[in-house]
Amino acid sequence: MVTSHDVARLAGVSQPTVSRALRDSPNVSAETKERVRRAARSLGYVISDSGRALASGRTRRVGLLVTDLENQFYPYVIAAMHRQLEALDHQLILHTEDRDGENVTERLFSHGLDGVLLATTTSDSALPVRLRDRGVPFVYFNRTSAVEADSATVDAAAGLGEVAGALADRGHRRVAAIFGPRNTSTGEEREEALREALEHHGIGLPRALTHRGPFDVETGHAGMQRFLALAEPPTAVVCSNDVVAIGAVNAAHEAGLAIPEQVSVVGFDDLPPARWPVFSLTTVAYDLTAMAQAAARLLIERIEAGDRPGTYRHEVFPTRLVHRRTLAAAPMS
Amino acid sequence: MVTSHDVARLAGVSQPTVSRALRDSPNVSAETKERVRRAARSLGYVISDSGRALASGRTRRVGLLVTDLENQFYPYVIAAMHRQLEALDHQLILHTEDRDGENVTERLFSHGLDGVLLATTTSDSALPVRLRDRGVPFVYFNRTSAVEADSATVDAAAGLGEVAGALADRGHRRVAAIFGPRNTSTGEEREEALREALEHHGIGLPRALTHRGPFDVETGHAGMQRFLALAEPPTAVVCSNDVVAIGAVNAAHEAGLAIPEQVSVVGFDDLPPARWPVFSLTTVAYDLTAMAQAAARLLIERIEAGDRPGTYRHEVFPTRLVHRRTLAAAPMS
DNA sequence: TCCCTGACTGTATGCGTATGCAGGAGCCGC
DNA sequence: GCGGCTCCTGCATACGCATACAGTCAGGGA
């Protein structure tokens, strides 16, 4: 393995000069830089991550904390963050939380992360507190908790306001909702926004027309099944996100119900599968990629700025309802 | 940050003893180990990845090389590998190849990887050669190339043999196929296996009933569209994998064609979405999770065994056709 | 001409862990 | 009771890079 010493020898300079030259330090003459760069290139020198990390105290690695890697939502998030971080010369380390969430922190730090992206924080999680106490920079993605930090989130209220309007316009009165978990800011926020928006159009959400569960396909499936078993099923189902909506569509399909003729379905996120013809999901859209990249960017900036409490940045992404084919007029009853 | 020196001080031993004790070295007495462990726990000591990497020359990090993180196939692969590697105390680093595949190697090594999992190697890629020449351990997952190495792959011939039989049994004579790229072992192997198996049942694959493209949704969509525009469309379409099949189903759906009444579709992989009621895809199944974990395991074992040319292991996973609802008797013409 | 300044570069050292080697303590057998 | 052995532990050092600090050299002002 070729080291900075080898480069130094070839370039006729000292090792520290190599270090400085390659990082484009201002106190290295242009000609020396050039000589060093040539030497490095001709030797095929690549800096040692470990050496740099040990000396600088920065690993240039950040963690992404996610509960379920198989959830259809994350590939897009991971891909976007990965690209952004690569551009900023950082690496993304995936971390799945244990069931108990016990030794997450420990494992987090044993891996020497410069910071953490929290994508599935629950509002009762102790992790943000621990991170703050240990001075580890972190950023919320799509979720927040009581501990303040930089965040990239979505303006759910706007999108769900549109949803409620669209439903009302089309004569829906019996509307059901599948909510996310109570202990997530995303779940709570969307629930509150939807209730309020529907209320505004005089549409209530009785308990029987409400289902709650994790943001996954099974939740949507189970919720829709429950609704369809009702004596008076809803004419529309609003889902906490697209993955849930996919589950709901599946259940309707399984039950032989026509969408949107017999029941309308609305999602949230506008994931690529929402555009697949078999779903063609009417859904609340926003720029998920930009949001993921914003979270990554905020984290790196936070890392480089150092701890500066009270100056948190919250990027909120606008939403809009995308009309496809799962929302239609309420059927005559 | 608490270091092994701190632990040593508290435990009343030297730093190297801490290192040995925590790694359960045989030449440390049981009582010393216990004392060190207690000290470490009470201080909340976590080993420094960078320190260990620098000193040991092993980063305990392996790369997964993938072209397209958004492809529906990979989340399951990544999740399985991640779990397996976590159990083996290693980390997974995602790497997406550039278009040109140019500086992949460089970036690979700058990040100090102990080994690489190749999941999207093309048979004409120079990467395996470069890895071999630089002595970097690597394992093929789902694909291989001319450079021999450990591998975890699928017994495509068996599954596709079953597919051909099932098609013949149901009276399909006009069968179309959507193949993977020519420069992938997976694509070639499945093409050859399918052609041969169909041939065996007296079914030919004329050029018009053949489409080729990357293993993605768009390929399936485009292929099916092409087939459906034919004067005499096929009664069944065999797809190179489930993601492609999803695209095909979408196109059929879009065209208003009933599956399987008007056209049958068969996939490969049995991804979770294949089980979704909207698809309910008849597909060639195998244990994808086990295969991903095998690849990870093979890599770690290879890393620990050191270079030992000529002793490569090839784990081939058995397949079987899973009957769901996209394969039925050929329609009367 | 001399001193001072600024621009570079080299020297020394530290980051946290792993490991080769030496040394000490205890034990066995003769 | 002594040599030699095993078992355990400490000492010294290396891994590759970054950085504080010291040093050098050229140039400019007085």
Side-chain angles (χ1 to χ4, degrees):
Chain A
M1 169 175 275
V2 31
T3 73
S4 59
H5 286 96
D6 302 324
V7 177
R9 204 170 310 125
L10 179 60
V13 297
S14 69
Q15 176 271 325
T17 297
V18 171
S19 171
R20 284 185 281 246
L22 294 181
R23 275 176 314 118
D24 207 25
S25 151
N27 6 331
V28 175
S29 71
E31 47 205 332
T32 302
K33 275 183 191 168
E34 186 46 31
R35 199 146 34 94
V36 169
R37 274 198 276 257
R38 265 209 307 278
R41 202 170 317 122
S42 83
L43 290 177
Y45 169 75
V46 286
I47 195 171
S48 152
D49 235 26
S50 315
R52 173 221 264 153
L54 194 55
S56 71
R58 289 219 17 212
T59 61
R60 306 192 77 77
R61 254 172 272 143
V62 304
L64 170 62
L65 207 53
V66 163
T67 45
D68 179 12
L69 276 178
E70 302 196 2
N71 190 299
Q72 306 281 323
F73 179 67
Y74 293 107
Y76 309 101
V77 174
I78 292 173
M81 288 180 173
H82 187 267
R83 278 198 303 275
Q84 176 70 64
L85 288 171
E86 189 168 59
L88 296 171
D89 192 24
H90 279 252
Q91 283 181 281
L92 184 66
I93 306 291
L94 267 29
H95 275 270
T96 50
E97 282 185 279
D98 325 20
R99 318 284 159 266
D100 48 4
E102 196 43 50
N103 30 12
V104 177
T105 333
E106 181 178 340
R107 287 215 319 280
L108 239 51
F109 298 107
S110 87
H111 293 316
L113 301 176
D114 287 346
V116 183
L117 291 155
L118 296 182
T120 51
T121 320
T122 53
S123 35
D124 49 3
S125 167
L127 191 53
V129 181
R130 278 189 281 182
L131 291 173
R132 186 195 53 194
D133 291 349
R134 300 188 59 153
V136 178
F138 65 97
V139 167
Y140 294 114
F141 170 78
N142 195 33
R143 307 256 185 110
T144 60
S145 87
V147 182
E148 202 185 357
D150 299 316
S151 66
T153 53
V154 140
D155 182 10
L160 291 172
E162 273 191 83
V163 169
L167 289 170
D169 288 352
R170 285 163 182 73
H172 290 276
R173 304 296 305 166
R174 280 187 67 75
V175 174
I178 303 181
F179 294 128
R182 269 251 167 69
N183 61 353
T184 64
S185 67
T186 318
E188 281 184 344
E189 184 191 346
R190 293 186 191 173
E191 168 163 0
E192 194 176 335
L194 182 63
R195 281 189 191 279
E196 205 163 296
L198 287 174
E199 192 77 37
H200 183 260
H201 292 278
I203 303 174
L205 268 177
R207 186 153 217 163
L209 293 181
T210 272
H211 191 82
R212 193 185 307 278
F215 295 100
D216 56 28
V217 176
E218 287 68 36
T219 297
H221 193 268
M224 181 62 99
Q225 277 191 330
R226 241 195 59 206
F227 296 149
L228 295 184
L230 255 37
E232 225 181 327
T235 61
V237 178
V238 181
C239 300
S240 52
N241 75 9
D242 281 357
V243 175
V244 171
I246 285 174
V249 170
N250 272 316
H253 189 272
E254 206 173 27
L257 239 74
I259 296 177
E261 292 77 10
Q262 295 177 271
V263 60
S264 289
V265 174
V266 178
F268 199 116
D269 285 342
D270 195 25
L271 298 184
R275 292 168 216 147
W276 292 352
V278 292
F279 295 121
S280 194
L281 197 63
T282 293
T283 186
V284 176
Y286 57 94
D287 194 338
L288 177 58
T289 296
M291 184 166 130
Q293 298 189 328
R297 190 171 26 76
L298 283 173
L299 180 57
I300 302 303
E301 287 172 6
R302 167 66 52 189
I303 290 169
E304 301 194 321
D307 204 23
R308 217 188 296 171
T311 64
Y312 300 108
R313 293 160 62 187
H314 305 291
E315 297 202 9
V316 180
F317 286 75
T319 54
R320 68 177 198 291
L321 181 60
V322 172
H323 290 276
R324 295 213 182 85
R325 297 213 311 266
T326 58
L327 172 57
M332 311 289 180
S333 52
Chain B
M1 169 174 275
V2 32
T3 74
S4 57
H5 285 96
D6 302 323
V7 176
R9 203 170 312 123
L10 180 60
V13 296
S14 69
Q15 177 270 325
T17 296
V18 171
S19 171
R20 285 185 280 248
L22 294 182
R23 276 177 311 121
D24 206 23
S25 152
N27 10 331
V28 174
S29 71
E31 50 205 330
T32 303
K33 276 183 190 168
E34 187 46 32
R35 200 146 34 93
V36 169
R37 275 198 275 258
R38 264 209 309 278
R41 201 169 318 124
S42 85
L43 290 177
Y45 168 74
V46 285
I47 196 172
S48 153
D49 237 25
S50 314
R52 172 221 265 152
L54 193 55
S56 71
R58 291 221 11 215
T59 60
R60 305 193 78 78
R61 256 172 271 144
V62 303
L64 171 62
L65 207 52
V66 164
T67 45
D68 178 13
L69 275 177
E70 301 196 0
N71 188 299
Q72 306 281 323
F73 179 66
Y74 292 107
Y76 309 102
V77 174
I78 291 173
M81 288 180 173
H82 187 268
R83 276 198 305 274
Q84 176 70 64
L85 288 170
E86 189 168 59
L88 296 171
D89 193 23
H90 279 251
Q91 282 181 281
L92 184 65
I93 306 291
L94 268 27
H95 275 270
T96 50
E97 282 184 280
D98 323 23
R99 318 285 159 263
D100 48 4
E102 196 43 49
N103 30 14
V104 176
T105 332
E106 181 179 340
R107 287 215 320 279
L108 239 50
F109 299 108
S110 87
H111 291 318
L113 300 176
D114 288 346
V116 184
L117 291 155
L118 297 181
T120 50
T121 320
T122 53
S123 35
D124 50 3
S125 166
L127 190 54
V129 181
R130 277 189 281 182
L131 291 173
R132 187 195 49 194
D133 291 349
R134 301 189 57 155
V136 179
F138 66 98
V139 167
Y140 293 115
F141 171 79
N142 195 34
R143 307 255 184 111
T144 61
S145 87
V147 183
E148 202 187 356
D150 299 316
S151 67
T153 54
V154 141
D155 181 11
L160 291 172
E162 274 192 83
V163 170
L167 290 171
D169 288 352
R170 285 164 183 74
H172 290 277
R173 305 295 306 166
R174 279 188 69 74
V175 174
I178 304 180
F179 295 129
R182 267 251 169 68
N183 63 353
T184 63
S185 67
T186 317
E188 282 185 342
E189 184 191 344
R190 292 186 192 175
E191 169 164 1
E192 195 177 332
L194 183 62
R195 281 190 191 278
E196 205 164 297
L198 287 175
E199 193 77 36
H200 183 260
H201 292 278
I203 303 174
L205 269 178
R207 185 154 217 159
L209 293 182
T210 272
H211 190 82
R212 193 186 307 281
F215 296 100
D216 57 27
V217 176
E218 287 69 34
T219 297
H221 194 268
M224 181 61 98
Q225 278 191 327
R226 241 195 62 205
F227 297 149
L228 295 183
L230 256 36
E232 226 180 326
T235 61
V237 177
V238 182
C239 301
S240 53
N241 76 9
D242 280 358
V243 175
V244 171
I246 285 174
V249 170
N250 273 315
H253 189 272
E254 206 174 24
L257 242 72
I259 295 178
E261 292 77 10
Q262 295 177 272
V263 59
S264 289
V265 174
V266 179
F268 199 116
D269 286 341
D270 195 24
L271 297 184
R275 291 167 219 149
W276 291 353
V278 291
F279 296 120
S280 194
L281 197 63
T282 293
T283 185
V284 176
Y286 57 93
D287 194 337
L288 177 59
T289 296
M291 183 167 131
Q293 298 190 329
R297 191 170 26 76
L298 284 173
L299 180 58
I300 303 303
E301 288 172 6
R302 166 68 52 189
I303 290 169
E304 302 196 321
D307 205 20
R308 217 187 298 172
T311 65
Y312 300 109
R313 294 159 63 185
H314 304 290
E315 296 203 9
V316 179
F317 285 75
T319 54
R320 68 177 196 293
L321 180 61
V322 172
H323 290 276
R324 294 212 182 85
R325 296 212 313 265
T326 57
L327 172 58
M332 310 292 178
S333 53

